[in-house]
Every structure is written in structure tokens, then in C-alpha cells.
Amino acid sequence: CSAENPATCGGSHAQASVQPLHYVLRVSDLRGALRFFEEVLGLRPIRHEEHPAACTLTCNGEYDTAWSKTMVGYATEDVAYCLELTHNYGVDHYKRGNGHQLIGIEVESVDAAFQAAVHLGYKIDNYNVVHGPDGYRYRTRWTTYRNRSPV
């Protein structure tokens, strides 16, 4: 089964929908990040995993420490796109690169998201962008649907 040849995926469908399940964000303060995602963006924790040994994959960064991942979203990964919050224990900040500039996300109320962000001490700029934990920026807009992936 492949995106190039979806007919090989089985079943009677000639085309298959290929969608990434999640995107990884490294967070230095897991509790603070979870509060931001829940109170500002309305994402809820879907699942959490603890890993006592360092990750052998480089997508997590090259850190020789225990780590965790917490999936947050509006629904589970089989229904909607999620964000994976990866936390490397003992790492208090991450060097920002220039490859990831902005995450677009739909929220039920942009005004409520802005109020929650300001209440938590986060900056809002003139383009509906919330400057969140660890320097990630989120462009918010009103949701046009529910039960589909807003990210």
C-alpha cells in the first residue's frame, strides 16, 4: 500500500486518503504547554506516554534523557489531526530554528482564545497570531466545522 499507488491498499476503493496523523512539537514545560493548549486553543489531551530511556529517533532531538509524549487534539488521531507534545526531561529550552514558522488552527472563538492567551501571559500580534510556549506561533481563525481536523 502506498500513496503513489493507493489501489494496492486493498478494498474496493480506487483511491485512498493519506493524511499525516500528527506533528511533533518539543516543549520545555509540559504542564504549562498543556494549560496553553487546553485553555487557549481548546485542544484536549488524547493520550500520554512516559519513556524512561532516551529516544533512539532523531525527530525528538538528540537528548540522552528520559522523555514523554502527550497527544493533544479535538478528537483522536483516527478522526482528526493531533499535535504531539514531546518533553525531554531536564531540557529547559530548545534552540529555535527557522524551518517552522507558523501553525494555523481553527478555534471556536478567536476572542476567547485571545483572552485566555493574554490571561496566561502570551503575546497576540496584529495578524490573529498567538505567540505560545517555546516560541511556537499559532494563527487562529473561527472554526467552520467540528469533528474534522482543524489543524
Side-chain angles (χ1 to χ4, degrees):
C1 177
S2 71
E4 294 79 27
N5 189 3
T8 63
C9 294
S12 60
H13 299 295
Q15 293 183 330
S17 174
V18 178
Q19 169 184 322
L21 299 177
H22 65 268
Y23 191 81
V24 177
L25 301 176
R26 289 182 284 189
V27 298
S28 58
D29 174 10
L30 181 59
R31 286 181 190 222
L34 284 171
R35 186 171 183 201
F36 171 83
F37 285 103
E38 286 185 81
E39 293 182 23
V40 176
L41 301 178
L43 299 169
R44 63 181 176 85
I46 305 296
R47 62 184 164 92
H48 177 81
E49 298 173 14
E50 290 288 331
H51 300 275
C55 182
T56 58
L57 305 175
T58 59
C59 63
N60 187 24
E62 296 182 18
Y63 301 97
D64 190 22
T65 181
W67 63 286
S68 70
K69 72 176 175 181
T70 305
M71 305 306 290
V72 295
Y74 295 118
T76 57
E77 291 169 278
D78 60 332
V79 176
Y81 194 85
C82 292
L83 295 174
E84 175 186 316
L85 308 181
T86 297
H87 176 67
N88 293 287
Y89 291 99
V91 177
D92 62 357
H93 72 281
Y94 296 97
K95 181 180 176 184
R96 291 287 296 149
N98 61 5
H100 183 72
Q101 298 297 315
L102 192 64
I103 296 172
I105 189 162
E106 292 188 352
V107 294
E108 291 204 12
S109 170
V110 172
D111 295 334
F114 287 177
Q115 287 177 345
V118 169
H119 176 75
L120 293 175
Y122 294 102
K123 177 184 165 193
I124 311 295
D125 71 18
N126 294 335
Y127 302 101
N128 288 348
V129 174
V130 178
H131 296 250
D134 294 290
Y136 294 110
R137 299 179 318 136
Y138 303 87
R139 174 161 291 146
T140 57
R141 72 178 203 172
W142 296 90
T143 189
T144 55
Y145 50 76
R146 215 15 142 190
N147 298 328
R148 285 183 45 199
S149 179
V151 179

